[in-house]
PDB file of all heavy atoms in Angstrom:
ATOM      1  N   GLN A   1     101.750 103.516  94.411  1.00  0.00           N
ATOM      2  CA  GLN A   1     101.174 104.294  95.502  1.00  0.00           C
ATOM      3  C   GLN A   1     100.635 103.376  96.604  1.00  0.00           C
ATOM      4  O   GLN A   1     100.790 103.672  97.796  1.00  0.00           O
ATOM      5  CB  GLN A   1     100.062 105.190  94.958  1.00  0.00           C
ATOM      6  CG  GLN A   1     100.569 106.278  94.018  1.00  0.00           C
ATOM      7  CD  GLN A   1      99.448 106.971  93.260  1.00  0.00           C
ATOM      8  OE1 GLN A   1      98.269 106.657  93.423  1.00  0.00           O
ATOM      9  NE2 GLN A   1      99.817 107.925  92.407  1.00  0.00           N
ATOM     10  N   TYR A   2     100.029 102.265  96.207  1.00  0.00           N
ATOM     11  CA  TYR A   2      99.536 101.307  97.197  1.00  0.00           C
ATOM     12  C   TYR A   2     100.686 100.737  98.027  1.00  0.00           C
ATOM     13  O   TYR A   2     100.568 100.543  99.239  1.00  0.00           O
ATOM     14  CB  TYR A   2      98.789 100.162  96.509  1.00  0.00           C
ATOM     15  CG  TYR A   2      97.519 100.570  95.801  1.00  0.00           C
ATOM     16  CD1 TYR A   2      96.982  99.763  94.790  1.00  0.00           C
ATOM     17  CD2 TYR A   2      96.859 101.746  96.117  1.00  0.00           C
ATOM     18  CE1 TYR A   2      95.815 100.130  94.136  1.00  0.00           C
ATOM     19  CE2 TYR A   2      95.702 102.114  95.468  1.00  0.00           C
ATOM     20  CZ  TYR A   2      95.172 101.303  94.468  1.00  0.00           C
ATOM     21  OH  TYR A   2      94.019 101.664  93.824  1.00  0.00           O
ATOM     22  N   ALA A   3     101.795 100.456  97.362  1.00  0.00           N
ATOM     23  CA  ALA A   3     102.952  99.912  98.070  1.00  0.00           C
ATOM     24  C   ALA A   3     103.462 100.900  99.114  1.00  0.00           C
ATOM     25  O   ALA A   3     103.805 100.514 100.240  1.00  0.00           O
ATOM     26  CB  ALA A   3     104.064  99.573  97.073  1.00  0.00           C
ATOM     27  N   ILE A   4     103.494 102.167  98.758  1.00  0.00           N
ATOM     28  CA  ILE A   4     103.979 103.202  99.680  1.00  0.00           C
ATOM     29  C   ILE A   4     103.042 103.332 100.879  1.00  0.00           C
ATOM     30  O   ILE A   4     103.482 103.368 102.035  1.00  0.00           O
ATOM     31  CB  ILE A   4     104.117 104.542  98.935  1.00  0.00           C
ATOM     32  CG1 ILE A   4     105.277 104.461  97.944  1.00  0.00           C
ATOM     33  CG2 ILE A   4     104.319 105.702  99.911  1.00  0.00           C
ATOM     34  CD1 ILE A   4     105.274 105.561  96.906  1.00  0.00           C
ATOM     35  N   MET A   5     101.739 103.382 100.613  1.00  0.00           N
ATOM     36  CA  MET A   5     100.775 103.512 101.714  1.00  0.00           C
ATOM     37  C   MET A   5     100.731 102.243 102.561  1.00  0.00           C
ATOM     38  O   MET A   5     100.653 102.309 103.797  1.00  0.00           O
ATOM     39  CB  MET A   5      99.393 103.846 101.158  1.00  0.00           C
ATOM     40  CG  MET A   5      99.293 105.244 100.565  1.00  0.00           C
ATOM     41  SD  MET A   5      97.598 105.762 100.171  1.00  0.00           S
ATOM     42  CE  MET A   5      97.237 104.702  98.760  1.00  0.00           C
ATOM     43  N   GLY A   6     100.790 101.084 101.919  1.00  0.00           N
ATOM     44  CA  GLY A   6     100.808  99.825 102.667  1.00  0.00           C
ATOM     45  C   GLY A   6     102.037  99.714 103.541  1.00  0.00           C
ATOM     46  O   GLY A   6     101.980  99.211 104.671  1.00  0.00           O
ATOM     47  N   ASN A   7     103.155 100.189 103.041  1.00  0.00           N
ATOM     48  CA  ASN A   7     104.400 100.173 103.792  1.00  0.00           C
ATOM     49  C   ASN A   7     104.293 101.044 105.040  1.00  0.00           C
ATOM     50  O   ASN A   7     104.661 100.621 106.152  1.00  0.00           O
ATOM     51  CB  ASN A   7     105.533 100.678 102.898  1.00  0.00           C
ATOM     52  CG  ASN A   7     106.871 100.734 103.604  1.00  0.00           C
ATOM     53  OD1 ASN A   7     107.383  99.723 104.083  1.00  0.00           O
ATOM     54  ND2 ASN A   7     107.449 101.929 103.691  1.00  0.00           N
ATOM     55  N   LEU A   8     103.768 102.261 104.876  1.00  0.00           N
ATOM     56  CA  LEU A   8     103.598 103.160 106.013  1.00  0.00           C
ATOM     57  C   LEU A   8     102.615 102.586 107.036  1.00  0.00           C
ATOM     58  O   LEU A   8     102.820 102.689 108.246  1.00  0.00           O
ATOM     59  CB  LEU A   8     103.114 104.535 105.527  1.00  0.00           C
ATOM     60  CG  LEU A   8     104.138 105.389 104.778  1.00  0.00           C
ATOM     61  CD1 LEU A   8     103.465 106.594 104.130  1.00  0.00           C
ATOM     62  CD2 LEU A   8     105.234 105.848 105.720  1.00  0.00           C
ATOM     63  N   TYR A   9     101.528 101.979 106.546  1.00  0.00           N
ATOM     64  CA  TYR A   9     100.530 101.388 107.441  1.00  0.00           C
ATOM     65  C   TYR A   9     101.133 100.228 108.234  1.00  0.00           C
ATOM     66  O   TYR A   9     100.921 100.118 109.449  1.00  0.00           O
ATOM     67  CB  TYR A   9      99.329 100.898 106.634  1.00  0.00           C
ATOM     68  CG  TYR A   9      98.208 100.333 107.483  1.00  0.00           C
ATOM     69  CD1 TYR A   9      97.139 101.136 107.872  1.00  0.00           C
ATOM     70  CD2 TYR A   9      98.210  98.998 107.881  1.00  0.00           C
ATOM     71  CE1 TYR A   9      96.113 100.631 108.652  1.00  0.00           C
ATOM     72  CE2 TYR A   9      97.184  98.487 108.667  1.00  0.00           C
ATOM     73  CZ  TYR A   9      96.150  99.297 109.053  1.00  0.00           C
ATOM     74  OH  TYR A   9      95.142  98.785 109.829  1.00  0.00           O
ATOM     75  N   ALA A  10     101.871  99.352 107.560  1.00  0.00           N
ATOM     76  CA  ALA A  10     102.469  98.194 108.235  1.00  0.00           C
ATOM     77  C   ALA A  10     103.448  98.632 109.312  1.00  0.00           C
ATOM     78  O   ALA A  10     103.557  98.004 110.369  1.00  0.00           O
ATOM     79  CB  ALA A  10     103.160  97.288 107.216  1.00  0.00           C
ATOM     80  N   LYS A  11     104.165  99.706 109.063  1.00  0.00           N
ATOM     81  CA  LYS A  11     105.080 100.237 110.075  1.00  0.00           C
ATOM     82  C   LYS A  11     104.312 100.852 111.236  1.00  0.00           C
ATOM     83  O   LYS A  11     104.594 100.596 112.409  1.00  0.00           O
ATOM     84  CB  LYS A  11     105.997 101.298 109.459  1.00  0.00           C
ATOM     85  CG  LYS A  11     107.073 100.759 108.529  1.00  0.00           C
ATOM     86  CD  LYS A  11     107.935 101.906 107.989  1.00  0.00           C
ATOM     87  CE  LYS A  11     109.084 101.385 107.134  1.00  0.00           C
ATOM     88  NZ  LYS A  11     109.921 102.500 106.601  1.00  0.00           N
ATOM     89  N   ASP A  12     103.323 101.661 110.905  1.00  0.00           N
ATOM     90  CA  ASP A  12     102.630 102.495 111.882  1.00  0.00           C
ATOM     91  C   ASP A  12     101.628 101.707 112.728  1.00  0.00           C
ATOM     92  O   ASP A  12     101.515 101.933 113.937  1.00  0.00           O
ATOM     93  CB  ASP A  12     101.896 103.616 111.142  1.00  0.00           C
ATOM     94  CG  ASP A  12     101.997 104.944 111.862  1.00  0.00           C
ATOM     95  OD1 ASP A  12     103.049 105.201 112.470  1.00  0.00           O
ATOM     96  OD2 ASP A  12     101.031 105.726 111.824  1.00  0.00           O
ATOM     97  N   ILE A  13     100.888 100.799 112.109  1.00  0.00           N
ATOM     98  CA  ILE A  13      99.806 100.092 112.803  1.00  0.00           C
ATOM     99  C   ILE A  13     100.207  98.679 113.214  1.00  0.00           C
ATOM    100  O   ILE A  13      99.922  98.244 114.328  1.00  0.00           O
ATOM    101  CB  ILE A  13      98.537 100.050 111.923  1.00  0.00           C
ATOM    102  CG1 ILE A  13      98.110 101.473 111.533  1.00  0.00           C
ATOM    103  CG2 ILE A  13      97.406  99.333 112.648  1.00  0.00           C
ATOM    104  CD1 ILE A  13      97.808 102.391 112.712  1.00  0.00           C
ATOM    105  N   LEU A  14     100.881  97.941 112.330  1.00  0.00           N
ATOM    106  CA  LEU A  14     101.288  96.574 112.661  1.00  0.00           C
ATOM    107  C   LEU A  14     102.613  96.529 113.412  1.00  0.00           C
ATOM    108  O   LEU A  14     102.949  95.510 114.017  1.00  0.00           O
ATOM    109  CB  LEU A  14     101.382  95.727 111.386  1.00  0.00           C
ATOM    110  CG  LEU A  14     100.090  95.587 110.567  1.00  0.00           C
ATOM    111  CD1 LEU A  14     100.323  94.683 109.363  1.00  0.00           C
ATOM    112  CD2 LEU A  14      98.949  95.057 111.425  1.00  0.00           C
ATOM    113  N   GLY A  15     103.371  97.612 113.342  1.00  0.00           N
ATOM    114  CA  GLY A  15     104.627  97.684 114.085  1.00  0.00           C
ATOM    115  C   GLY A  15     105.792  96.973 113.434  1.00  0.00           C
ATOM    116  O   GLY A  15     106.756  96.610 114.115  1.00  0.00           O
ATOM    117  N   TYR A  16     105.754  96.765 112.112  1.00  0.00           N
ATOM    118  CA  TYR A  16     106.845  96.096 111.408  1.00  0.00           C
ATOM    119  C   TYR A  16     107.915  97.125 111.040  1.00  0.00           C
ATOM    120  O   TYR A  16     107.626  98.127 110.378  1.00  0.00           O
ATOM    121  CB  TYR A  16     106.338  95.410 110.143  1.00  0.00           C
ATOM    122  CG  TYR A  16     105.286  94.340 110.384  1.00  0.00           C
ATOM    123  CD1 TYR A  16     104.494  93.865 109.337  1.00  0.00           C
ATOM    124  CD2 TYR A  16     105.081  93.808 111.658  1.00  0.00           C
ATOM    125  CE1 TYR A  16     103.530  92.881 109.551  1.00  0.00           C
ATOM    126  CE2 TYR A  16     104.115  92.829 111.879  1.00  0.00           C
ATOM    127  CZ  TYR A  16     103.344  92.377 110.825  1.00  0.00           C
ATOM    128  OH  TYR A  16     102.393  91.409 111.029  1.00  0.00           O
ATOM    129  N   ALA A  17     109.140  96.877 111.441  1.00  0.00           N
ATOM    130  CA  ALA A  17     110.219  97.841 111.237  1.00  0.00           C
ATOM    131  C   ALA A  17     110.571  98.015 109.764  1.00  0.00           C
ATOM    132  O   ALA A  17     110.828  99.134 109.305  1.00  0.00           O
ATOM    133  CB  ALA A  17     111.459  97.413 112.025  1.00  0.00           C
ATOM    134  N   ASN A  18     110.582  96.927 109.010  1.00  0.00           N
ATOM    135  CA  ASN A  18     110.978  96.975 107.602  1.00  0.00           C
ATOM    136  C   ASN A  18     110.093  96.026 106.798  1.00  0.00           C
ATOM    137  O   ASN A  18     110.537  94.951 106.368  1.00  0.00           O
ATOM    138  CB  ASN A  18     112.455  96.595 107.460  1.00  0.00           C
ATOM    139  CG  ASN A  18     113.007  96.879 106.078  1.00  0.00           C
ATOM    140  OD1 ASN A  18     112.552  97.791 105.386  1.00  0.00           O
ATOM    141  ND2 ASN A  18     114.007  96.105 105.665  1.00  0.00           N
ATOM    142  N   PRO A  19     108.829  96.389 106.580  1.00  0.00           N
ATOM    143  CA  PRO A  19     107.870  95.486 105.923  1.00  0.00           C
ATOM    144  C   PRO A  19     108.343  95.028 104.550  1.00  0.00           C
ATOM    145  O   PRO A  19     108.896  95.806 103.776  1.00  0.00           O
ATOM    146  CB  PRO A  19     106.607  96.345 105.799  1.00  0.00           C
ATOM    147  CG  PRO A  19     106.780  97.452 106.778  1.00  0.00           C
ATOM    148  CD  PRO A  19     108.240  97.706 106.862  1.00  0.00           C
ATOM    149  N   ARG A  20     108.118  93.746 104.267  1.00  0.00           N
ATOM    150  CA  ARG A  20     108.460  93.195 102.956  1.00  0.00           C
ATOM    151  C   ARG A  20     107.295  93.428 101.998  1.00  0.00           C
ATOM    152  O   ARG A  20     106.191  92.987 102.257  1.00  0.00           O
ATOM    153  CB  ARG A  20     108.754  91.700 103.083  1.00  0.00           C
ATOM    154  CG  ARG A  20     109.970  91.365 103.951  1.00  0.00           C
ATOM    155  CD  ARG A  20     109.968  89.896 104.353  1.00  0.00           C
ATOM    156  NE  ARG A  20     108.765  89.568 105.112  1.00  0.00           N
ATOM    157  CZ  ARG A  20     108.046  88.454 104.928  1.00  0.00           C
ATOM    158  NH1 ARG A  20     108.419  87.560 104.025  1.00  0.00           N
ATOM    159  NH2 ARG A  20     106.980  88.227 105.660  1.00  0.00           N
ATOM    160  N   ILE A  21     107.580  94.123 100.908  1.00  0.00           N
ATOM    161  CA  ILE A  21     106.546  94.458  99.925  1.00  0.00           C
ATOM    162  C   ILE A  21     106.625  93.474  98.770  1.00  0.00           C
ATOM    163  O   ILE A  21     107.681  93.312  98.146  1.00  0.00           O
ATOM    164  CB  ILE A  21     106.738  95.888  99.378  1.00  0.00           C
ATOM    165  CG1 ILE A  21     107.026  96.879 100.504  1.00  0.00           C
ATOM    166  CG2 ILE A  21     105.531  96.292  98.553  1.00  0.00           C
ATOM    167  CD1 ILE A  21     105.920  97.057 101.494  1.00  0.00           C
ATOM    168  N   GLY A  22     105.510  92.803  98.483  1.00  0.00           N
ATOM    169  CA  GLY A  22     105.470  91.864  97.372  1.00  0.00           C
ATOM    170  C   GLY A  22     104.401  92.238  96.356  1.00  0.00           C
ATOM    171  O   GLY A  22     103.344  92.749  96.712  1.00  0.00           O
ATOM    172  N   LEU A  23     104.688  91.987  95.086  1.00  0.00           N
ATOM    173  CA  LEU A  23     103.723  92.220  94.008  1.00  0.00           C
ATOM    174  C   LEU A  23     103.068  90.897  93.650  1.00  0.00           C
ATOM    175  O   LEU A  23     103.751  89.947  93.247  1.00  0.00           O
ATOM    176  CB  LEU A  23     104.435  92.809  92.790  1.00  0.00           C
ATOM    177  CG  LEU A  23     103.587  93.023  91.523  1.00  0.00           C
ATOM    178  CD1 LEU A  23     102.492  94.061  91.765  1.00  0.00           C
ATOM    179  CD2 LEU A  23     104.471  93.431  90.345  1.00  0.00           C
ATOM    180  N   LEU A  24     101.750  90.802  93.808  1.00  0.00           N
ATOM    181  CA  LEU A  24     101.040  89.566  93.493  1.00  0.00           C
ATOM    182  C   LEU A  24     101.090  89.310  91.991  1.00  0.00           C
ATOM    183  O   LEU A  24     100.694  90.164  91.195  1.00  0.00           O
ATOM    184  CB  LEU A  24      99.586  89.659  93.969  1.00  0.00           C
ATOM    185  CG  LEU A  24      98.765  88.373  93.890  1.00  0.00           C
ATOM    186  CD1 LEU A  24      99.361  87.285  94.784  1.00  0.00           C
ATOM    187  CD2 LEU A  24      97.316  88.639  94.293  1.00  0.00           C
ATOM    188  N   ASN A  25     101.591  88.126  91.611  1.00  0.00           N
ATOM    189  CA  ASN A  25     101.781  87.825  90.200  1.00  0.00           C
ATOM    190  C   ASN A  25     101.618  86.330  89.978  1.00  0.00           C
ATOM    191  O   ASN A  25     101.437  85.561  90.929  1.00  0.00           O
ATOM    192  CB  ASN A  25     103.176  88.299  89.746  1.00  0.00           C
ATOM    193  CG  ASN A  25     103.208  88.690  88.278  1.00  0.00           C
ATOM    194  OD1 ASN A  25     102.413  88.223  87.474  1.00  0.00           O
ATOM    195  ND2 ASN A  25     104.159  89.552  87.930  1.00  0.00           N
ATOM    196  N   ASN A  26     101.711  85.899  88.731  1.00  0.00           N
ATOM    197  CA  ASN A  26     101.543  84.480  88.407  1.00  0.00           C
ATOM    198  C   ASN A  26     102.877  83.737  88.372  1.00  0.00           C
ATOM    199  O   ASN A  26     102.984  82.656  87.789  1.00  0.00           O
ATOM    200  CB  ASN A  26     100.822  84.311  87.061  1.00  0.00           C
ATOM    201  CG  ASN A  26     101.615  84.886  85.893  1.00  0.00           C
ATOM    202  OD1 ASN A  26     102.529  85.674  86.083  1.00  0.00           O
ATOM    203  ND2 ASN A  26     101.252  84.482  84.679  1.00  0.00           N
ATOM    204  N   GLY A  27     103.872  84.295  88.998  1.00  0.00           N
ATOM    205  CA  GLY A  27     105.175  83.659  89.113  1.00  0.00           C
ATOM    206  C   GLY A  27     106.109  84.595  89.858  1.00  0.00           C
ATOM    207  O   GLY A  27     105.861  85.806  89.937  1.00  0.00           O
ATOM    208  N   THR A  28     107.171  84.064  90.417  1.00  0.00           N
ATOM    209  CA  THR A  28     108.079  84.886  91.216  1.00  0.00           C
ATOM    210  C   THR A  28     109.156  85.577  90.385  1.00  0.00           C
ATOM    211  O   THR A  28     109.781  86.531  90.860  1.00  0.00           O
ATOM    212  CB  THR A  28     108.764  84.029  92.294  1.00  0.00           C
ATOM    213  OG1 THR A  28     109.462  82.937  91.664  1.00  0.00           O
ATOM    214  CG2 THR A  28     107.742  83.463  93.269  1.00  0.00           C
ATOM    215  N   GLU A  29     109.374  85.121  89.156  1.00  0.00           N
ATOM    216  CA  GLU A  29     110.397  85.739  88.313  1.00  0.00           C
ATOM    217  C   GLU A  29     110.004  87.163  87.935  1.00  0.00           C
ATOM    218  O   GLU A  29     108.832  87.457  87.722  1.00  0.00           O
ATOM    219  CB  GLU A  29     110.619  84.907  87.047  1.00  0.00           C
ATOM    220  CG  GLU A  29     111.084  83.483  87.298  1.00  0.00           C
ATOM    221  CD  GLU A  29     109.948  82.515  87.508  1.00  0.00           C
ATOM    222  OE1 GLU A  29     108.786  82.967  87.649  1.00  0.00           O
ATOM    223  OE2 GLU A  29     110.207  81.296  87.534  1.00  0.00           O
ATOM    224  N   ALA A  30     110.997  88.046  87.825  1.00  0.00           N
ATOM    225  CA  ALA A  30     110.753  89.460  87.518  1.00  0.00           C
ATOM    226  C   ALA A  30     110.086  89.656  86.166  1.00  0.00           C
ATOM    227  O   ALA A  30     109.408  90.664  85.939  1.00  0.00           O
ATOM    228  CB  ALA A  30     112.061  90.237  87.577  1.00  0.00           C
ATOM    229  N   THR A  31     110.261  88.714  85.261  1.00  0.00           N
ATOM    230  CA  THR A  31     109.709  88.842  83.900  1.00  0.00           C
ATOM    231  C   THR A  31     108.295  88.293  83.777  1.00  0.00           C
ATOM    232  O   THR A  31     107.708  88.337  82.695  1.00  0.00           O
ATOM    233  CB  THR A  31     110.607  88.108  82.896  1.00  0.00           C
ATOM    234  OG1 THR A  31     110.757  86.730  83.311  1.00  0.00           O
ATOM    235  CG2 THR A  31     111.984  88.756  82.829  1.00  0.00           C
ATOM    236  N   LYS A  32     107.738  87.790  84.853  1.00  0.00           N
ATOM    237  CA  LYS A  32     106.403  87.189  84.808  1.00  0.00           C
ATOM    238  C   LYS A  32     105.320  88.256  84.718  1.00  0.00           C
ATOM    239  O   LYS A  32     105.506  89.410  85.073  1.00  0.00           O
ATOM    240  CB  LYS A  32     106.170  86.340  86.057  1.00  0.00           C
ATOM    241  CG  LYS A  32     106.861  84.993  86.048  1.00  0.00           C
ATOM    242  CD  LYS A  32     106.180  84.042  85.072  1.00  0.00           C
ATOM    243  CE  LYS A  32     106.756  82.640  85.168  1.00  0.00           C
ATOM    244  NZ  LYS A  32     106.043  81.706  84.285  1.00  0.00           N
ATOM    245  N   GLY A  33     104.141  87.827  84.254  1.00  0.00           N
ATOM    246  CA  GLY A  33     102.972  88.679  84.266  1.00  0.00           C
ATOM    247  C   GLY A  33     102.756  89.454  82.986  1.00  0.00           C
ATOM    248  O   GLY A  33     103.560  89.425  82.057  1.00  0.00           O
ATOM    249  N   ASP A  34     101.644  90.169  82.962  1.00  0.00           N
ATOM    250  CA  ASP A  34     101.297  90.982  81.796  1.00  0.00           C
ATOM    251  C   ASP A  34     102.055  92.308  81.847  1.00  0.00           C
ATOM    252  O   ASP A  34     102.904  92.538  82.709  1.00  0.00           O
ATOM    253  CB  ASP A  34      99.787  91.207  81.736  1.00  0.00           C
ATOM    254  CG  ASP A  34      99.232  91.825  83.015  1.00  0.00           C
ATOM    255  OD1 ASP A  34     100.036  92.323  83.840  1.00  0.00           O
ATOM    256  OD2 ASP A  34      97.999  91.822  83.192  1.00  0.00           O
ATOM    257  N   GLU A  35     101.711  93.191  80.923  1.00  0.00           N
ATOM    258  CA  GLU A  35     102.410  94.472  80.817  1.00  0.00           C
ATOM    259  C   GLU A  35     102.279  95.299  82.101  1.00  0.00           C
ATOM    260  O   GLU A  35     103.240  95.932  82.549  1.00  0.00           O
ATOM    261  CB  GLU A  35     101.856  95.261  79.635  1.00  0.00           C
ATOM    262  CG  GLU A  35     102.578  96.583  79.368  1.00  0.00           C
ATOM    263  CD  GLU A  35     102.033  97.311  78.145  1.00  0.00           C
ATOM    264  OE1 GLU A  35     101.369  96.657  77.317  1.00  0.00           O
ATOM    265  OE2 GLU A  35     102.269  98.530  78.052  1.00  0.00           O
ATOM    266  N   LEU A  36     101.074  95.282  82.706  1.00  0.00           N
ATOM    267  CA  LEU A  36     100.855  96.020  83.946  1.00  0.00           C
ATOM    268  C   LEU A  36     101.813  95.558  85.038  1.00  0.00           C
ATOM    269  O   LEU A  36     102.471  96.377  85.704  1.00  0.00           O
ATOM    270  CB  LEU A  36      99.406  95.848  84.418  1.00  0.00           C
ATOM    271  CG  LEU A  36      99.113  96.302  85.859  1.00  0.00           C
ATOM    272  CD1 LEU A  36      99.267  97.809  85.988  1.00  0.00           C
ATOM    273  CD2 LEU A  36      97.711  95.854  86.291  1.00  0.00           C
ATOM    274  N   HIS A  37     101.906  94.240  85.224  1.00  0.00           N
ATOM    275  CA  HIS A  37     102.727  93.715  86.317  1.00  0.00           C
ATOM    276  C   HIS A  37     104.218  93.900  86.051  1.00  0.00           C
ATOM    277  O   HIS A  37     104.992  94.135  86.984  1.00  0.00           O
ATOM    278  CB  HIS A  37     102.390  92.244  86.558  1.00  0.00           C
ATOM    279  CG  HIS A  37     101.065  92.044  87.224  1.00  0.00           C
ATOM    280  ND1 HIS A  37      99.874  92.081  86.525  1.00  0.00           N
ATOM    281  CD2 HIS A  37     100.740  91.828  88.525  1.00  0.00           C
ATOM    282  CE1 HIS A  37      98.874  91.899  87.361  1.00  0.00           C
ATOM    283  NE2 HIS A  37      99.358  91.740  88.576  1.00  0.00           N
TER     284      HIS A  37
END
């Protein structure tokens, strides 16, 4: 839900046409992080 709202905000207020959404984690690999991540 945060990603969806952040995406809309970045488009609407910052003016970014296609904002890049990233998940903060302890590594860039898809398998990184705990169960939540």
Side-chain angles (χ1 to χ4, degrees):
Q1 293 168 0
Y2 295 159
I4 290 164
M5 291 190 289
N7 178 60
L8 289 169
Y9 183 95
K11 288 181 176 180
D12 221 35
I13 303 301
L14 300 182
Y16 300 164
N18 191 29
R20 296 164 300 137
I21 315 296
L23 176 64
L24 188 62
N25 209 335
N26 63 343
T28 57
E29 300 87 350
T31 56
K32 283 288 187 177
D34 55 14
E35 184 178 341
L36 167 67
H37 287 81

